[in-house]
Amino acid sequence: MEAQQTKQDVPVGAVVVYEGKIIAACHNRREEDNAPFAHAEMLAMNEAAKVLGTRRLTGCTLYVTLEPCPMCAGAIILSGLSKCYFGAYDRQSGCCGSVYYIPQDRCFNHQVMCVGGILEEECTRLLTDFFAQKRRGE
């Protein structure tokens, strides 16, 4: 049963890097954990904070396969991350450049540079294949 639930999660992965080392690596677990906030980015940032022993992720870089949503983009600001790189753009709800650019909004006291399109083709294919399988009922 758990393996089936895991297959239902959108295949998004995130890692946090600090001083050249991966300190957190997570994937989406919203379906697996029945948790609306269990996005890969949120989980990775939480794990990185535990590893560093602080909620401030200054000097850390987030890498994620899909452009962060509004919730994750807000968390990127609040965590104090230094940079964010993502693969596939999310033209419907991406908030690091597609729909909006929350981490660069000057009304917040911290801005985070986000760069998209890193391995974009591979990341987009992974997501496209996942949703095609879901439509086929696999």
Side-chain angles (χ1 to χ4, degrees):
M1 185 91 145
E2 287 182 23
Q4 186 178 6
Q5 288 178 338
T6 301
K7 283 185 176 180
Q8 297 305 314
D9 276 306
V10 177
V12 175
V15 298
V16 176
V17 174
Y18 180 69
E19 295 182 345
K21 296 179 182 156
I22 295 173
I23 60 169
C26 297
H27 63 278
N28 269 0
R29 291 198 328 247
R30 292 186 329 154
E31 302 299 329
E32 182 179 342
D33 294 354
N34 289 316
F37 307 121
H39 289 207
E41 303 95 306
M42 300 291 282
L43 297 170
M45 287 185 281
N46 277 332
E47 184 63 29
K50 288 178 189 173
V51 168
L52 295 175
T54 179
R55 69 172 182 83
R56 289 185 174 85
L57 301 180
T58 306
C60 292
T61 301
L62 174 70
Y63 295 87
V64 61
T65 54
L66 179 64
E67 181 179 1
C69 71
M71 174 183 69
C72 294
I76 286 169
I77 294 169
L78 295 174
S79 72
L81 274 171
S82 295
K83 295 178 203 146
C84 172
Y85 295 95
F86 63 88
Y89 286 89
D90 183 346
R91 308 279 183 222
Q92 293 180 327
S93 61
C95 281
C96 289
S98 287
V99 175
Y100 192 65
Y101 202 160
I102 291 174
Q104 281 290 300
D105 193 316
R106 295 278 178 209
C107 63
F108 299 112
N109 67 345
H110 177 67
Q111 286 78 45
V112 180
M113 178 196 72
C114 296
V115 177
I118 310 301
L119 298 173
E120 181 178 10
E121 187 176 313
E122 294 89 335
C123 294
T124 300
R125 187 177 323 111
L126 178 71
L127 293 161
T128 302
D129 291 350
F130 171 79
F131 287 111
Q133 287 177 337
K134 286 201 59 93
R135 282 191 296 278
R136 289 191 303 265
E138 295 177 20

